[in-house]
Amino acid sequence: MNPELAIECHQLTRKFADVTAVNGLDLHIPKQTIYGFLGPNGSGKSTAIRMLCGLLLPTSGEVNVLGHQVPQQAEQLKKHIGYMTQAFSLYSDLTVKENLRFMAQVYGLSGKTQNRRIDEALSVYHLQGLQNRFPSNMSGGERQRLALATATLHDPKLLFLDEPTSAVDPQSRRDFWESLFDLVAEGVTILVSTHYMDEAERCHDLAILDHGVKVADGSPSDLMASMEAWVVQVEDSDVLKLKPHLASLPDVISVSHIGLHLRILVNKSIAQPVAYIQQQTGFLDTDVQVREVAPSMEDVFVVATQKRKQEHDR
Amino acid sequence: MMSLRRLFAVMRKEVWQLKRDRLTVGMILGIPIMQVLLFGYAINTDIRHIPAAVVDYANTQLSHNLVTDMEASQVVRIYARVGEEKELEDRLRTGEVSIGIVIPEDFERRIQDDSRAAAQLLVDGSDPIVLGAAQQLTAMQQHQSSQKSASSGKLFEVRNYYNPERRSAVNTLPGLIGVILTMTMVIFTAISLVRERERGNLELLINTPITSNELMIGKILPYILIGFIQVSLVLFLGFMIFDVPIQGLVVDVYIITLVFVSANLSLGILFSTLAKSQFQALQMAIFVMLPSILLSGFMFPFNAMPTLAQWIAEILPMTHFVRLIRGVMLRGAGLGELLPELLVLMAFTFITLVLAIKRFHKRLD
């Protein structure tokens, strides 16, 4: 395995009865980066993460995490990874401090190290005031800070975060991501799954998953630059009427209604996308603004998942 | 592989959680107290104030005296005086009264006649306690000095209505310890792992370096202490309220308890690895609880059961516990004499624990 990589997997596949949750996944995740899994619910993000930690057995494929073969050497790996489950999974009937103490002991930290690391965690994640509170009475953001604090108690080299911000307000999400970048600066590698576009955009690299298949991967800027579609925006007070017609065109990938304008994804094969849309809408000689805009992460996501759908339908 | 630090971490966590689980704490103390008081009351045959009704066909001074005497004994309380036997039977059937007293017209003549019972008790035999009390009443003597000649005759004959056989008197309390421990211990551990799975804790836990041994044994050990608390409570209550002595060594009682509690906890944890929900775990626990109470010899004599039932009983830890605890508490036997039973319990513990550890995987599939 390449020593620069934290995670490497080849043709990783997992089937549940007649559903293929993860299908032929290849990953090369460099150390000290934040790697994102972007995908809707049921796209195989959690299943993939669980296979990478050894919680689920792959149906086929090879996994190497931090130099350990998984699942064969999963137990040796456990000491070096931290894990945040999708739902809060610490004990609601133990206080914040007791949860930290328990996890520190379970990770086998010595008495002195335990105290030091728990104190550090309390201060880094602003939990001092909550030490004796029970998670059942804490906000989503507070619980998430506690979960990250416990996941990093033993100084793991690699963190798996499964939709860590799904129950958290926007400000807490921002703070959370700041913490992640601090961890990366300390040398930690992070694999995070999300269905938020703004979070995906913050990752160094990401993979877009759709029905268990990786439909695109790369850095957010590369993905946006190499997107196989134009983004055309139409600003008109009466855009609603245009939507059905535009959506039915073969070279229009998707039409979405955003505020007072329509955002249209047009196939790259069309040479003049603005003119094409003007023709189709009859806005050629009117003062209705039709212009090309820069792609967003959401556009990348839509194009990638639509492409797979078309190939699948064919 | 076993790390003491992790083992203690699990034990301490269990204690923390237990401390805050008021219902479980209530169960730990409440079930022994309740059971001892309930069963203890049943052991006590000196029953008072059983509701009764009387039909007095004789209606003489002597028959009035008889009823007054019965009331004075405090065993029965006369709720009604009715005109005919039929009405007594109705009241008996509805449960309004448990004993009906029939004094025949020729009561005075019958009293002189040693070969016949002077009066009749209609007893609700569906309730063994009432039946026992009725047996007591038959021993009652006509004490009036003017009727000396009657003292040798039977005052009553008992007609048992709903329960033709009498329940044999058993020494309930030692076996009761087994019932209490089976009820509580199996449930505690049967629920424990499944609960962590249901609450999502397990997914986090299996992603740490913790081993199956540490998790299982760490979950069992704190409850052994709970078992000791329960046994102490039962022994204390039994001694204080019902004067139940321990013929053998107290330390032997605790050794037996230790082994029996371990067997139940291991069985519970095995259930916990098999069950998919807390409800399923409870169902499994009940599957053990019922035969344990019925087949172990606690309720009915072991040797009177059919062979198949005896085989099943031999698998149940409670059967061996009942033999052990009765031996020590009632017959004053030493552990040396009861060694085979103790070894069976140890083997049971070992096998179930190994099965549980083997069955538990640190995986989600």
Side-chain angles (χ1 to χ4, degrees):
Chain A
M1 181 180 172
N2 185 339
E4 300 297 307
L5 294 181
I7 299 176
E8 195 173 9
C9 74
H10 181 62
Q11 287 299 303
L12 186 60
T13 300
R14 169 74 204 212
K15 291 180 178 148
F16 293 106
D18 51 349
V19 181
T20 307
V22 172
N23 196 352
L25 181 67
D26 289 329
L27 290 173
H28 303 275
I29 300 177
K31 285 185 176 161
Q32 240 190 313
T33 58
I34 301 183
Y35 194 90
F37 279 170
L38 176 65
N41 292 334
S43 58
K45 304 189 298 283
S46 295
T47 307
I49 289 180
R50 285 169 176 172
M51 281 194 285
L52 294 175
C53 331
L55 291 188
L56 281 178
L57 292 178
T59 309
S60 62
E62 278 160 41
V63 182
N64 193 307
V65 179
L66 298 174
H68 298 283
Q69 292 290 329
V70 178
Q72 297 84 349
Q73 299 175 309
E75 282 312 297
Q76 289 101 296
L77 176 66
K78 303 264 148 119
K79 286 195 280 289
H80 307 296
I81 59 170
Y83 182 54
M84 249 179 91
T85 50
Q86 199 167 339
F88 181 75
S89 56
L90 285 159
Y91 297 92
S92 325
D93 47 357
L94 297 190
T95 64
V96 165
K97 187 119 186 225
E98 286 165 351
N99 267 303
L100 287 167
R101 177 70 65 189
F102 172 64
M103 289 306 272
Q105 287 174 332
V106 163
Y107 274 108
L109 303 185
S110 69
K112 258 190 198 160
T113 321
Q114 275 177 37
N115 291 336
R116 180 176 59 80
R117 287 298 294 153
I118 289 172
D119 286 341
E120 283 172 6
L122 287 172
S123 87
V124 169
Y125 297 103
H126 311 292
L127 295 166
Q128 292 105 326
L130 303 171
Q131 282 190 52
N132 298 316
R133 292 268 296 276
F134 292 98
S136 43
N137 307 326
M138 289 174 6
S139 73
E142 289 166 342
R143 274 203 287 245
Q144 179 213 40
R145 266 160 31 218
L146 173 61
L148 186 61
T150 41
T152 53
L153 267 180
H154 56 297
D155 285 318
K157 294 181 197 139
L158 175 62
L159 271 180
F160 291 97
L161 312 176
D162 194 356
E163 290 191 15
T165 55
S166 42
V168 168
D169 63 273
Q171 182 56 43
S172 302
R173 268 169 62 189
R174 284 172 61 90
D175 296 343
F176 181 77
W177 274 83
E178 290 312 310
S179 310
L180 298 191
F181 282 105
D182 291 343
L183 285 166
V184 171
E186 289 163 23
V188 179
T189 310
I190 297 175
L191 174 58
V192 57
S193 74
T194 181
H195 47 231
Y196 293 119
M197 301 301 159
D198 61 320
E199 288 191 347
E201 240 168 295
R202 286 167 172 257
C203 298
H204 294 106
D205 285 297
L206 69 130
I208 297 177
L209 298 182
D210 186 29
H211 292 85
V213 180
K214 186 173 77 176
V215 287
D217 65 346
S219 70
S221 52
D222 284 352
L223 283 170
M224 288 187 251
S226 64
M227 190 176 80
E228 286 176 39
W230 307 104
V231 187
V232 178
Q233 193 168 293
V234 178
E235 278 180 41
D236 181 53
S237 54
D238 216 13
V239 286
L240 211 56
K241 271 192 263 174
L242 301 171
K243 207 178 162 185
H245 170 61
L246 287 172
S248 66
L249 297 173
D251 283 313
V252 169
I253 298 167
S254 99
V255 183
S256 55
H257 196 174
I258 296 166
L260 286 174
H261 56 259
L262 282 185
R263 196 177 178 89
I264 306 155
L265 296 174
V266 182
N267 222 320
K268 256 291 160 49
S269 59
I270 302 291
Q272 299 287 326
V274 174
Y276 171 75
I277 292 298
Q278 279 175 331
Q279 267 173 7
Q280 292 296 336
T281 52
F283 289 150
L284 201 53
D285 297 313
T286 66
D287 56 352
V288 174
Q289 266 203 27
V290 179
R291 58 195 174 96
E292 193 194 331
V293 295
S296 70
M297 201 61 225
E298 187 164 346
D299 299 326
V300 173
F301 177 76
V302 170
V303 172
T305 50
Q306 284 293 108
K307 199 178 78 185
R308 187 204 154 270
K309 190 165 175 283
Q310 278 161 13
E311 278 165 11
H312 188 79
D313 291 344
R314 211 173 291 155
Chain B
M1 196 182 72
M2 185 95 143
S3 142
L4 277 184
R5 177 174 287 130
R6 279 199 289 267
L7 183 68
F8 282 124
V10 176
M11 287 169 60
R12 187 141 71 138
K13 188 214 76 170
E14 291 293 320
V15 173
W16 276 333
Q17 290 187 301
L18 192 62
K19 229 171 39 186
R20 290 178 187 135
D21 187 352
R22 285 196 191 158
L23 206 62
T24 304
V25 172
M27 190 171 144
I28 289 169
L29 300 176
I31 285 187
I33 294 173
M34 210 171 74
Q35 297 256 10
V36 168
L37 292 182
L38 293 182
F39 276 85
Y41 199 57
I43 301 171
N44 192 344
T45 48
D46 186 21
I47 298 301
R48 298 187 178 280
H49 307 312
I50 296 175
V54 62
V55 51
D56 186 354
Y57 293 120
N59 201 14
T60 63
Q61 182 59 40
L62 201 58
S63 73
H64 294 167
N65 284 351
L66 172 71
V67 174
T68 316
D69 279 355
M70 285 179 78
E71 274 202 293
S73 76
Q74 293 192 355
V75 174
V76 293
R77 175 177 286 170
I78 309 292
Y79 274 83
R81 288 163 209 277
V82 297
E84 55 176 333
E85 220 175 316
K86 170 84 178 54
E87 204 174 330
L88 269 189
E89 285 176 3
D90 288 344
R91 286 175 189 247
L92 207 56
R93 192 168 51 247
T94 58
E96 195 186 327
V97 297
S98 299
I99 288 181
I101 303 157
V102 182
I103 303 173
E105 244 172 310
D106 55 349
F107 177 61
E108 307 224 359
R109 195 149 35 91
R110 279 168 173 251
I111 278 194
Q112 310 298 334
D113 183 353
D114 282 5
S115 65
R116 295 164 72 193
Q120 198 177 40
L121 288 182
L122 312 183
V123 181
D124 174 4
S126 67
D127 184 341
I129 303 169
V130 173
L131 190 58
Q135 301 291 340
Q136 249 187 322
L137 283 177
T138 59
M140 205 172 115
Q141 300 291 313
Q142 186 73 341
H143 69 267
Q144 265 82 356
S145 50
S146 59
Q147 296 294 335
K148 276 188 189 106
S149 58
S151 62
S152 58
K154 267 167 91 188
L155 196 55
F156 289 113
E157 67 171 3
V158 170
R159 252 171 72 193
N160 187 343
Y161 260 50
Y162 305 124
N163 181 9
E165 339 161 50
R166 270 181 294 155
R167 196 170 145 238
S168 63
V170 280
N171 293 295
T172 317
L173 196 106
L176 194 60
I177 297 176
V179 175
I180 292 165
L181 291 176
T182 305
M183 278 177 82
T184 51
M185 290 298 144
V186 179
I187 289 179
F188 286 149
T189 42
I191 285 177
S192 71
L193 265 183
V194 200
R195 185 176 52 199
E196 298 218 9
R197 188 174 294 134
E198 283 188 348
R199 292 184 183 174
N201 308 133
L202 204 63
E203 185 176 348
L204 186 67
L205 211 49
I206 57 179
N207 228 339
T208 70
I210 202 160
T211 64
S212 306
N213 302 0
E214 291 155 1
L215 190 58
M216 304 281 169
I217 297 171
K219 276 180 169 295
I220 285 177
L221 288 179
Y223 288 104
I224 290 183
L225 193 69
I226 304 291
F228 281 161
I229 293 173
Q230 290 189 322
V231 169
S232 307
L233 190 62
V234 175
L235 291 178
F236 176 76
L237 291 176
F239 183 74
M240 294 306 285
I241 306 177
F242 305 109
D243 246 346
V244 178
I246 301 172
Q247 304 291 349
L249 297 170
V250 175
V251 63
D252 286 355
V253 173
Y254 280 92
I255 292 172
I256 296 168
T257 305
L258 171 71
V259 180
F260 178 60
V261 164
S262 309
N264 280 329
L265 292 172
S266 307
L267 183 65
I269 212 118
L270 177 63
F271 286 164
S272 211
T273 64
L274 296 165
K276 293 204 162 53
S277 65
Q278 291 190 58
F279 182 63
Q280 272 191 5
L282 265 177
Q283 287 175 312
M284 292 184 194
I286 290 170
F287 256 99
V288 170
M289 213 184 302
L290 276 179
S292 289
I293 293 172
L294 296 175
L295 301 182
S296 61
F298 167 68
M299 286 280 238
F300 311 108
F302 184 84
N303 293 319
M305 296 191 304
T307 320
L308 180 67
Q310 289 190 6
W311 284 348
I312 296 171
E314 289 292 349
I315 305 170
L316 298 167
M318 170 105 168
T319 308
H320 304 280
F321 177 74
V322 167
R323 291 175 193 159
L324 282 163
I325 198 79
R326 282 188 176 157
V328 171
M329 279 185 72
L330 303 175
R331 300 195 301 272
L335 276 191
E337 303 163 77
L338 301 165
L339 204 57
E341 303 290 342
L342 208 57
L343 291 176
V344 172
L345 279 184
M346 286 177 179
F348 182 93
T349 309
F350 180 76
I351 292 168
T352 46
L353 193 57
V354 166
L355 281 177
I357 291 172
K358 289 266 176 249
R359 258 205 65 83
F360 182 74
H361 293 294
K362 288 179 70 182
R363 277 201 219 101
L364 293 170
D365 32 14

